PDB file of all heavy atoms in Angstrom:
ATOM      1  N   ASN A 214     128.414 116.917 122.337  1.00 88.00           N
ATOM      2  CA  ASN A 214     128.128 115.716 123.119  1.00 88.00           C
ATOM      3  C   ASN A 214     128.028 114.515 122.182  1.00 88.00           C
ATOM      4  O   ASN A 214     127.212 114.513 121.253  1.00 88.00           O
ATOM      5  CB  ASN A 214     126.822 115.896 123.895  1.00 88.00           C
ATOM      6  CG  ASN A 214     126.605 114.797 124.927  1.00 88.00           C
ATOM      7  OD1 ASN A 214     127.226 113.744 124.873  1.00 88.00           O
ATOM      8  ND2 ASN A 214     125.731 115.050 125.875  1.00 88.00           N
ATOM      9  N   PHE A 215     128.843 113.481 122.450  1.00 88.00           N
ATOM     10  CA  PHE A 215     128.824 112.298 121.589  1.00 88.00           C
ATOM     11  C   PHE A 215     127.455 111.634 121.584  1.00 88.00           C
ATOM     12  O   PHE A 215     127.047 111.035 120.578  1.00 88.00           O
ATOM     13  CB  PHE A 215     129.889 111.304 122.057  1.00 88.00           C
ATOM     14  CG  PHE A 215     129.923 110.036 121.249  1.00 88.00           C
ATOM     15  CD1 PHE A 215     130.542 109.990 120.014  1.00 88.00           C
ATOM     16  CD2 PHE A 215     129.315 108.881 121.716  1.00 88.00           C
ATOM     17  CE1 PHE A 215     130.554 108.830 119.260  1.00 88.00           C
ATOM     18  CE2 PHE A 215     129.324 107.709 120.981  1.00 88.00           C
ATOM     19  CZ  PHE A 215     129.955 107.684 119.743  1.00 88.00           C
ATOM     20  N   ALA A 216     126.730 111.729 122.691  1.00 90.00           N
ATOM     21  CA  ALA A 216     125.408 111.101 122.761  1.00 90.00           C
ATOM     22  C   ALA A 216     124.467 111.667 121.704  1.00 90.00           C
ATOM     23  O   ALA A 216     123.558 110.974 121.237  1.00 90.00           O
ATOM     24  CB  ALA A 216     124.811 111.282 124.154  1.00 90.00           C
ATOM     25  N   SER A 217     124.694 112.921 121.313  1.00 91.00           N
ATOM     26  CA  SER A 217     123.845 113.531 120.287  1.00 91.00           C
ATOM     27  C   SER A 217     124.034 112.846 118.931  1.00 91.00           C
ATOM     28  O   SER A 217     123.105 112.806 118.117  1.00 91.00           O
ATOM     29  CB  SER A 217     124.156 115.025 120.159  1.00 91.00           C
ATOM     30  OG  SER A 217     123.858 115.695 121.372  1.00 91.00           O
ATOM     31  N   ILE A 218     125.227 112.304 118.690  1.00 90.00           N
ATOM     32  CA  ILE A 218     125.471 111.587 117.434  1.00 90.00           C
ATOM     33  C   ILE A 218     124.642 110.315 117.395  1.00 90.00           C
ATOM     34  O   ILE A 218     124.015 109.984 116.374  1.00 90.00           O
ATOM     35  CB  ILE A 218     126.967 111.277 117.282  1.00 90.00           C
ATOM     36  CG1 ILE A 218     127.782 112.573 117.243  1.00 90.00           C
ATOM     37  CG2 ILE A 218     127.221 110.447 116.025  1.00 90.00           C
ATOM     38  CD1 ILE A 218     129.279 112.356 117.165  1.00 90.00           C
ATOM     39  N   ALA A 219     124.616 109.580 118.511  1.00 90.00           N
ATOM     40  CA  ALA A 219     123.804 108.364 118.579  1.00 90.00           C
ATOM     41  C   ALA A 219     122.322 108.686 118.395  1.00 90.00           C
ATOM     42  O   ALA A 219     121.589 107.957 117.714  1.00 90.00           O
ATOM     43  CB  ALA A 219     124.034 107.645 119.906  1.00 90.00           C
ATOM     44  N   LYS A 220     121.880 109.795 118.998  1.00 91.00           N
ATOM     45  CA  LYS A 220     120.486 110.207 118.833  1.00 91.00           C
ATOM     46  C   LYS A 220     120.193 110.565 117.379  1.00 91.00           C
ATOM     47  O   LYS A 220     119.108 110.280 116.863  1.00 91.00           O
ATOM     48  CB  LYS A 220     120.179 111.393 119.740  1.00 91.00           C
ATOM     49  CG  LYS A 220     120.201 111.070 121.230  1.00 91.00           C
ATOM     50  CD  LYS A 220     119.948 112.305 122.071  1.00 91.00           C
ATOM     51  CE  LYS A 220     120.020 111.976 123.561  1.00 91.00           C
ATOM     52  NZ  LYS A 220     119.824 113.199 124.402  1.00 91.00           N
ATOM     53  N   ALA A 221     121.155 111.190 116.711  1.00 90.00           N
ATOM     54  CA  ALA A 221     120.970 111.551 115.306  1.00 90.00           C
ATOM     55  C   ALA A 221     120.861 110.305 114.434  1.00 90.00           C
ATOM     56  O   ALA A 221     120.077 110.269 113.474  1.00 90.00           O
ATOM     57  CB  ALA A 221     122.140 112.425 114.835  1.00 90.00           C
ATOM     58  N   VAL A 222     121.639 109.272 114.765  1.00 91.00           N
ATOM     59  CA  VAL A 222     121.543 108.010 114.024  1.00 91.00           C
ATOM     60  C   VAL A 222     120.156 107.407 114.193  1.00 91.00           C
ATOM     61  O   VAL A 222     119.539 106.924 113.237  1.00 91.00           O
ATOM     62  CB  VAL A 222     122.629 107.025 114.506  1.00 91.00           C
ATOM     63  CG1 VAL A 222     122.417 105.648 113.887  1.00 91.00           C
ATOM     64  CG2 VAL A 222     124.020 107.541 114.158  1.00 91.00           C
ATOM     65  N   ARG A 223     119.651 107.429 115.433  1.00 90.00           N
ATOM     66  CA  ARG A 223     118.305 106.907 115.681  1.00 90.00           C
ATOM     67  C   ARG A 223     117.256 107.688 114.877  1.00 90.00           C
ATOM     68  O   ARG A 223     116.365 107.095 114.265  1.00 90.00           O
ATOM     69  CB  ARG A 223     117.978 106.985 117.173  1.00 90.00           C
ATOM     70  CG  ARG A 223     116.572 106.514 117.518  1.00 90.00           C
ATOM     71  CD  ARG A 223     116.277 106.732 118.992  1.00 90.00           C
ATOM     72  NE  ARG A 223     117.050 105.821 119.823  1.00 90.00           N
ATOM     73  CZ  ARG A 223     116.659 104.591 120.121  1.00 90.00           C
ATOM     74  NH1 ARG A 223     115.523 104.114 119.637  1.00 90.00           N
ATOM     75  NH2 ARG A 223     117.411 103.831 120.891  1.00 90.00           N
ATOM     76  N   GLU A 224     117.377 109.021 114.870  1.00 91.00           N
ATOM     77  CA  GLU A 224     116.425 109.837 114.122  1.00 91.00           C
ATOM     78  C   GLU A 224     116.521 109.561 112.624  1.00 91.00           C
ATOM     79  O   GLU A 224     115.509 109.493 111.925  1.00 91.00           O
ATOM     80  CB  GLU A 224     116.678 111.328 114.399  1.00 91.00           C
ATOM     81  CG  GLU A 224     116.278 111.787 115.781  1.00 91.00           C
ATOM     82  CD  GLU A 224     114.808 111.594 116.065  1.00 91.00           C
ATOM     83  OE1 GLU A 224     113.984 111.858 115.154  1.00 91.00           O
ATOM     84  OE2 GLU A 224     114.468 111.154 117.183  1.00 91.00           O
ATOM     85  N   GLY A 225     117.757 109.391 112.139  1.00 90.00           N
ATOM     86  CA  GLY A 225     117.938 109.088 110.720  1.00 90.00           C
ATOM     87  C   GLY A 225     117.299 107.769 110.337  1.00 90.00           C
ATOM     88  O   GLY A 225     116.658 107.649 109.283  1.00 90.00           O
ATOM     89  N   ARG A 226     117.458 106.773 111.190  1.00 89.00           N
ATOM     90  CA  ARG A 226     116.843 105.475 110.917  1.00 89.00           C
ATOM     91  C   ARG A 226     115.319 105.568 110.982  1.00 89.00           C
ATOM     92  O   ARG A 226     114.611 104.907 110.220  1.00 89.00           O
ATOM     93  CB  ARG A 226     117.355 104.433 111.916  1.00 89.00           C
ATOM     94  CG  ARG A 226     118.821 104.088 111.716  1.00 89.00           C
ATOM     95  CD  ARG A 226     119.255 102.927 112.591  1.00 89.00           C
ATOM     96  NE  ARG A 226     120.620 102.515 112.266  1.00 89.00           N
ATOM     97  CZ  ARG A 226     121.187 101.400 112.720  1.00 89.00           C
ATOM     98  NH1 ARG A 226     120.518 100.603 113.539  1.00 89.00           N
ATOM     99  NH2 ARG A 226     122.411 101.087 112.382  1.00 89.00           N
ATOM    100  N   THR A 227     114.823 106.394 111.889  1.00 90.00           N
ATOM    101  CA  THR A 227     113.370 106.577 111.995  1.00 90.00           C
ATOM    102  C   THR A 227     112.812 107.219 110.734  1.00 90.00           C
ATOM    103  O   THR A 227     111.776 106.783 110.207  1.00 90.00           O
ATOM    104  CB  THR A 227     113.032 107.451 113.217  1.00 90.00           C
ATOM    105  OG1 THR A 227     113.472 106.787 114.408  1.00 90.00           O
ATOM    106  CG2 THR A 227     111.545 107.695 113.312  1.00 90.00           C
ATOM    107  N   VAL A 228     113.498 108.247 110.228  1.00 90.00           N
ATOM    108  CA  VAL A 228     113.049 108.913 108.998  1.00 90.00           C
ATOM    109  C   VAL A 228     113.044 107.936 107.833  1.00 90.00           C
ATOM    110  O   VAL A 228     112.088 107.880 107.039  1.00 90.00           O
ATOM    111  CB  VAL A 228     113.941 110.127 108.684  1.00 90.00           C
ATOM    112  CG1 VAL A 228     113.629 110.689 107.298  1.00 90.00           C
ATOM    113  CG2 VAL A 228     113.756 111.204 109.745  1.00 90.00           C
ATOM    114  N   TYR A 229     114.109 107.142 107.718  1.00 89.00           N
ATOM    115  CA  TYR A 229     114.197 106.176 106.613  1.00 89.00           C
ATOM    116  C   TYR A 229     113.099 105.121 106.740  1.00 89.00           C
ATOM    117  O   TYR A 229     112.454 104.756 105.738  1.00 89.00           O
ATOM    118  CB  TYR A 229     115.575 105.524 106.621  1.00 89.00           C
ATOM    119  CG  TYR A 229     115.807 104.580 105.466  1.00 89.00           C
ATOM    120  CD1 TYR A 229     116.140 105.076 104.207  1.00 89.00           C
ATOM    121  CD2 TYR A 229     115.705 103.207 105.630  1.00 89.00           C
ATOM    122  CE1 TYR A 229     116.358 104.219 103.141  1.00 89.00           C
ATOM    123  CE2 TYR A 229     115.920 102.339 104.568  1.00 89.00           C
ATOM    124  CZ  TYR A 229     116.248 102.848 103.323  1.00 89.00           C
ATOM    125  OH  TYR A 229     116.461 101.999 102.278  1.00 89.00           O
ATOM    126  N   ASP A 230     112.881 104.615 107.959  1.00 88.00           N
ATOM    127  CA  ASP A 230     111.824 103.619 108.168  1.00 88.00           C
ATOM    128  C   ASP A 230     110.455 104.189 107.847  1.00 88.00           C
ATOM    129  O   ASP A 230     109.607 103.512 107.250  1.00 88.00           O
ATOM    130  CB  ASP A 230     111.848 103.116 109.611  1.00 88.00           C
ATOM    131  CG  ASP A 230     112.994 102.153 109.876  1.00 88.00           C
ATOM    132  OD1 ASP A 230     113.589 101.655 108.903  1.00 88.00           O
ATOM    133  OD2 ASP A 230     113.303 101.902 111.056  1.00 88.00           O
ATOM    134  N   ASN A 231     110.207 105.431 108.240  1.00 90.00           N
ATOM    135  CA  ASN A 231     108.907 106.049 107.967  1.00 90.00           C
ATOM    136  C   ASN A 231     108.692 106.252 106.475  1.00 90.00           C
ATOM    137  O   ASN A 231     107.563 106.150 105.977  1.00 90.00           O
ATOM    138  CB  ASN A 231     108.792 107.390 108.705  1.00 90.00           C
ATOM    139  CG  ASN A 231     108.626 107.205 110.198  1.00 90.00           C
ATOM    140  OD1 ASN A 231     108.375 106.096 110.687  1.00 90.00           O
ATOM    141  ND2 ASN A 231     108.767 108.277 110.956  1.00 90.00           N
ATOM    142  N   LEU A 232     109.774 106.549 105.759  1.00 89.00           N
ATOM    143  CA  LEU A 232     109.671 106.659 104.299  1.00 89.00           C
ATOM    144  C   LEU A 232     109.291 105.316 103.697  1.00 89.00           C
ATOM    145  O   LEU A 232     108.422 105.234 102.814  1.00 89.00           O
ATOM    146  CB  LEU A 232     110.996 107.160 103.720  1.00 89.00           C
ATOM    147  CG  LEU A 232     111.059 107.315 102.193  1.00 89.00           C
ATOM    148  CD1 LEU A 232     110.005 108.306 101.707  1.00 89.00           C
ATOM    149  CD2 LEU A 232     112.447 107.760 101.765  1.00 89.00           C
ATOM    150  N   LYS A 233     109.922 104.237 104.184  1.00 88.00           N
ATOM    151  CA  LYS A 233     109.570 102.899 103.698  1.00 88.00           C
ATOM    152  C   LYS A 233     108.122 102.555 104.038  1.00 88.00           C
ATOM    153  O   LYS A 233     107.413 101.939 103.243  1.00 88.00           O
ATOM    154  CB  LYS A 233     110.517 101.853 104.300  1.00 88.00           C
ATOM    155  CG  LYS A 233     111.894 101.842 103.704  1.00 88.00           C
ATOM    156  CD  LYS A 233     112.588 100.506 103.909  1.00 88.00           C
ATOM    157  CE  LYS A 233     112.719 100.152 105.368  1.00 88.00           C
ATOM    158  NZ  LYS A 233     113.511  98.896 105.549  1.00 88.00           N
ATOM    159  N   LYS A 234     107.686 102.935 105.241  1.00 89.00           N
ATOM    160  CA  LYS A 234     106.305 102.651 105.640  1.00 89.00           C
ATOM    161  C   LYS A 234     105.314 103.373 104.734  1.00 89.00           C
ATOM    162  O   LYS A 234     104.282 102.806 104.360  1.00 89.00           O
ATOM    163  CB  LYS A 234     106.102 103.076 107.100  1.00 89.00           C
ATOM    164  CG  LYS A 234     106.847 102.226 108.112  1.00 89.00           C
ATOM    165  CD  LYS A 234     106.716 102.792 109.514  1.00 89.00           C
ATOM    166  CE  LYS A 234     107.539 102.002 110.514  1.00 89.00           C
ATOM    167  NZ  LYS A 234     107.472 102.570 111.880  1.00 89.00           N
ATOM    168  N   ALA A 235     105.616 104.620 104.390  1.00 89.00           N
ATOM    169  CA  ALA A 235     104.715 105.367 103.512  1.00 89.00           C
ATOM    170  C   ALA A 235     104.622 104.717 102.134  1.00 89.00           C
ATOM    171  O   ALA A 235     103.530 104.599 101.558  1.00 89.00           O
ATOM    172  CB  ALA A 235     105.195 106.816 103.389  1.00 89.00           C
ATOM    173  N   ILE A 236     105.770 104.292 101.606  1.00 89.00           N
ATOM    174  CA  ILE A 236     105.775 103.589 100.313  1.00 89.00           C
ATOM    175  C   ILE A 236     105.019 102.282 100.424  1.00 89.00           C
ATOM    176  O   ILE A 236     104.212 101.925  99.553  1.00 89.00           O
ATOM    177  CB  ILE A 236     107.220 103.357  99.845  1.00 89.00           C
ATOM    178  CG1 ILE A 236     107.903 104.689  99.534  1.00 89.00           C
ATOM    179  CG2 ILE A 236     107.259 102.445  98.628  1.00 89.00           C
ATOM    180  CD1 ILE A 236     109.372 104.561  99.211  1.00 89.00           C
ATOM    181  N   LEU A 237     105.289 101.562 101.505  1.00 89.00           N
ATOM    182  CA  LEU A 237     104.650 100.271 101.719  1.00 89.00           C
ATOM    183  C   LEU A 237     103.146 100.418 101.960  1.00 89.00           C
ATOM    184  O   LEU A 237     102.388  99.465 101.778  1.00 89.00           O
ATOM    185  CB  LEU A 237     105.298  99.578 102.923  1.00 89.00           C
ATOM    186  CG  LEU A 237     105.158  98.066 103.041  1.00 89.00           C
ATOM    187  CD1 LEU A 237     105.671  97.382 101.790  1.00 89.00           C
ATOM    188  CD2 LEU A 237     105.926  97.559 104.248  1.00 89.00           C
ATOM    189  N   PHE A 238     102.724 101.597 102.359  1.00 90.00           N
ATOM    190  CA  PHE A 238     101.295 101.834 102.571  1.00 90.00           C
ATOM    191  C   PHE A 238     100.595 102.243 101.273  1.00 90.00           C
ATOM    192  O   PHE A 238      99.523 101.726 100.946  1.00 90.00           O
ATOM    193  CB  PHE A 238     101.117 102.932 103.625  1.00 90.00           C
ATOM    194  CG  PHE A 238      99.677 103.288 103.895  1.00 90.00           C
ATOM    195  CD1 PHE A 238      98.883 102.475 104.672  1.00 90.00           C
ATOM    196  CD2 PHE A 238      99.127 104.445 103.367  1.00 90.00           C
ATOM    197  CE1 PHE A 238      97.548 102.794 104.922  1.00 90.00           C
ATOM    198  CE2 PHE A 238      97.805 104.784 103.602  1.00 90.00           C
ATOM    199  CZ  PHE A 238      97.015 103.950 104.386  1.00 90.00           C
ATOM    200  N   LEU A 239     101.205 103.143 100.518  1.00 90.00           N
ATOM    201  CA  LEU A 239     100.541 103.699  99.343  1.00 90.00           C
ATOM    202  C   LEU A 239     100.520 102.744  98.147  1.00 90.00           C
ATOM    203  O   LEU A 239      99.496 102.618  97.466  1.00 90.00           O
ATOM    204  CB  LEU A 239     101.203 105.014  98.938  1.00 90.00           C
ATOM    205  CG  LEU A 239     100.930 106.219  99.846  1.00 90.00           C
ATOM    206  CD1 LEU A 239     101.791 107.406  99.438  1.00 90.00           C
ATOM    207  CD2 LEU A 239      99.454 106.595  99.796  1.00 90.00           C
ATOM    208  N   LEU A 240     101.641 102.080  97.893  1.00 89.00           N
ATOM    209  CA  LEU A 240     101.719 101.251  96.689  1.00 89.00           C
ATOM    210  C   LEU A 240     100.728 100.083  96.691  1.00 89.00           C
ATOM    211  O   LEU A 240     100.086  99.829  95.670  1.00 89.00           O
ATOM    212  CB  LEU A 240     103.155 100.746  96.490  1.00 89.00           C
ATOM    213  CG  LEU A 240     104.186 101.815  96.096  1.00 89.00           C
ATOM    214  CD1 LEU A 240     105.530 101.172  95.778  1.00 89.00           C
ATOM    215  CD2 LEU A 240     103.694 102.613  94.891  1.00 89.00           C
ATOM    216  N   PRO A 241     100.572  99.337  97.799  1.00 89.00           N
ATOM    217  CA  PRO A 241      99.569  98.262  97.771  1.00 89.00           C
ATOM    218  C   PRO A 241      98.137  98.768  97.576  1.00 89.00           C
ATOM    219  O   PRO A 241      97.324  98.101  96.921  1.00 89.00           O
ATOM    220  CB  PRO A 241      99.731  97.599  99.143  1.00 89.00           C
ATOM    221  CG  PRO A 241     101.091  97.950  99.582  1.00 89.00           C
ATOM    222  CD  PRO A 241     101.336  99.314  99.043  1.00 89.00           C
ATOM    223  N   ILE A 242      97.830  99.933  98.145  1.00 88.00           N
ATOM    224  CA  ILE A 242      96.486 100.486  97.975  1.00 88.00           C
ATOM    225  C   ILE A 242      96.242 100.809  96.507  1.00 88.00           C
ATOM    226  O   ILE A 242      95.211 100.430  95.923  1.00 88.00           O
ATOM    227  CB  ILE A 242      96.313 101.747  98.842  1.00 88.00           C
ATOM    228  CG1 ILE A 242      96.352 101.368 100.316  1.00 88.00           C
ATOM    229  CG2 ILE A 242      95.006 102.459  98.510  1.00 88.00           C
ATOM    230  CD1 ILE A 242      96.368 102.554 101.252  1.00 88.00           C
ATOM    231  N   ASN A 243      97.201 101.509  95.903  1.00 87.00           N
ATOM    232  CA  ASN A 243      97.073 101.822  94.482  1.00 87.00           C
ATOM    233  C   ASN A 243      97.085 100.558  93.636  1.00 87.00           C
ATOM    234  O   ASN A 243      96.370 100.463  92.625  1.00 87.00           O
ATOM    235  CB  ASN A 243      98.191 102.758  94.041  1.00 87.00           C
ATOM    236  CG  ASN A 243      98.083 104.130  94.692  1.00 87.00           C
ATOM    237  OD1 ASN A 243      96.994 104.588  94.992  1.00 87.00           O
ATOM    238  ND2 ASN A 243      99.220 104.777  94.932  1.00 87.00           N
ATOM    239  N   GLY A 244      97.912  99.592  94.074  1.00 87.00           N
ATOM    240  CA  GLY A 244      97.949  98.321  93.351  1.00 87.00           C
ATOM    241  C   GLY A 244      96.629  97.587  93.438  1.00 87.00           C
ATOM    242  O   GLY A 244      96.155  97.014  92.451  1.00 87.00           O
ATOM    243  N   GLY A 245      96.013  97.603  94.629  1.00 86.00           N
ATOM    244  CA  GLY A 245      94.719  96.943  94.791  1.00 86.00           C
ATOM    245  C   GLY A 245      93.644  97.596  93.953  1.00 86.00           C
ATOM    246  O   GLY A 245      92.811  96.917  93.324  1.00 86.00           O
ATOM    247  N   GLU A 246      93.646  98.941  93.923  1.00 85.00           N
ATOM    248  CA  GLU A 246      92.667  99.656  93.102  1.00 85.00           C
ATOM    249  C   GLU A 246      92.861  99.312  91.621  1.00 85.00           C
ATOM    250  O   GLU A 246      91.889  99.011  90.899  1.00 85.00           O
ATOM    251  CB  GLU A 246      92.818 101.156  93.307  1.00 85.00           C
ATOM    252  CG  GLU A 246      92.471 101.633  94.705  1.00 85.00           C
ATOM    253  CD  GLU A 246      92.841 103.093  94.916  1.00 85.00           C
ATOM    254  OE1 GLU A 246      93.474 103.669  94.000  1.00 85.00           O
ATOM    255  OE2 GLU A 246      92.523 103.652  95.978  1.00 85.00           O
ATOM    256  N   SER A 247      94.109  99.371  91.169  1.00 86.00           N
ATOM    257  CA  SER A 247      94.400  99.128  89.753  1.00 86.00           C
ATOM    258  C   SER A 247      94.049  97.710  89.344  1.00 86.00           C
ATOM    259  O   SER A 247      93.424  97.485  88.295  1.00 86.00           O
ATOM    260  CB  SER A 247      95.882  99.408  89.465  1.00 86.00           C
ATOM    261  OG  SER A 247      96.225 100.721  89.831  1.00 86.00           O
ATOM    262  N   LEU A 248      94.453  96.743  90.176  1.00 86.00           N
ATOM    263  CA  LEU A 248      94.179  95.343  89.837  1.00 86.00           C
ATOM    264  C   LEU A 248      92.687  95.048  89.830  1.00 86.00           C
ATOM    265  O   LEU A 248      92.217  94.222  89.029  1.00 86.00           O
ATOM    266  CB  LEU A 248      94.901  94.424  90.827  1.00 86.00           C
ATOM    267  CG  LEU A 248      96.434  94.397  90.717  1.00 86.00           C
ATOM    268  CD1 LEU A 248      97.034  93.536  91.821  1.00 86.00           C
ATOM    269  CD2 LEU A 248      96.856  93.861  89.355  1.00 86.00           C
ATOM    270  N   SER A 249      91.934  95.707  90.716  1.00 84.00           N
ATOM    271  CA  SER A 249      90.479  95.504  90.725  1.00 84.00           C
ATOM    272  C   SER A 249      89.866  95.983  89.411  1.00 84.00           C
ATOM    273  O   SER A 249      88.995  95.316  88.824  1.00 84.00           O
ATOM    274  CB  SER A 249      89.852  96.257  91.900  1.00 84.00           C
ATOM    275  OG  SER A 249      90.320  95.762  93.125  1.00 84.00           O
ATOM    276  N   ILE A 250      90.336  97.147  88.943  1.00 85.00           N
ATOM    277  CA  ILE A 250      89.828  97.680  87.675  1.00 85.00           C
ATOM    278  C   ILE A 250      90.252  96.782  86.514  1.00 85.00           C
ATOM    279  O   ILE A 250      89.448  96.448  85.616  1.00 85.00           O
ATOM    280  CB  ILE A 250      90.326  99.113  87.450  1.00 85.00           C
ATOM    281  CG1 ILE A 250      89.879 100.033  88.589  1.00 85.00           C
ATOM    282  CG2 ILE A 250      89.851  99.645  86.107  1.00 85.00           C
ATOM    283  CD1 ILE A 250      88.397 100.138  88.754  1.00 85.00           C
ATOM    284  N   ILE A 251      91.539  96.382  86.519  1.00 86.00           N
ATOM    285  CA  ILE A 251      92.056  95.551  85.427  1.00 86.00           C
ATOM    286  C   ILE A 251      91.325  94.213  85.385  1.00 86.00           C
ATOM    287  O   ILE A 251      90.957  93.714  84.311  1.00 86.00           O
ATOM    288  CB  ILE A 251      93.569  95.324  85.605  1.00 86.00           C
ATOM    289  CG1 ILE A 251      94.310  96.644  85.395  1.00 86.00           C
ATOM    290  CG2 ILE A 251      94.082  94.264  84.638  1.00 86.00           C
ATOM    291  CD1 ILE A 251      95.785  96.570  85.728  1.00 86.00           C
ATOM    292  N   ALA A 252      91.095  93.609  86.558  1.00 83.00           N
ATOM    293  CA  ALA A 252      90.388  92.320  86.606  1.00 83.00           C
ATOM    294  C   ALA A 252      88.980  92.448  86.055  1.00 83.00           C
ATOM    295  O   ALA A 252      88.500  91.580  85.309  1.00 83.00           O
ATOM    296  CB  ALA A 252      90.349  91.815  88.049  1.00 83.00           C
ATOM    297  N   ALA A 253      88.290  93.556  86.395  1.00 84.00           N
ATOM    298  CA  ALA A 253      86.926  93.749  85.898  1.00 84.00           C
ATOM    299  C   ALA A 253      86.912  93.947  84.378  1.00 84.00           C
ATOM    300  O   ALA A 253      86.061  93.393  83.670  1.00 84.00           O
ATOM    301  CB  ALA A 253      86.298  94.955  86.591  1.00 84.00           C
ATOM    302  N   VAL A 254      87.864  94.736  83.860  1.00 84.00           N
ATOM    303  CA  VAL A 254      87.925  94.988  82.416  1.00 84.00           C
ATOM    304  C   VAL A 254      88.245  93.711  81.656  1.00 84.00           C
ATOM    305  O   VAL A 254      87.617  93.388  80.638  1.00 84.00           O
ATOM    306  CB  VAL A 254      88.976  96.077  82.118  1.00 84.00           C
ATOM    307  CG1 VAL A 254      89.205  96.206  80.619  1.00 84.00           C
ATOM    308  CG2 VAL A 254      88.529  97.418  82.707  1.00 84.00           C
TER     309      VAL A 254
END
């Protein structure tokens, strides 16, 4: 079914977006922790 290809594209984009969201979530947190320590030192 050709419709399954379109659904697969949507799922692929969702996986890629979620990967970006995870990176975008973790790096600022670690960056905030690190900068707080560096600023204090």
Side-chain angles (χ1 to χ4, degrees):
N214 191 343
F215 179 79
S217 297
I218 299 177
K220 292 177 182 178
V222 172
R223 178 185 290 274
E224 288 300 319
R226 291 188 173 191
T227 298
V228 171
Y229 184 80
D230 285 345
N231 288 348
L232 179 60
K233 285 203 301 185
K234 291 174 184 178
I236 294 174
L237 201 56
F238 178 77
L239 287 172
L240 290 186
I242 293 173
N243 294 330
E246 294 171 354
S247 303
L248 291 176
S249 297
I250 301 300
I251 292 172
V254 171

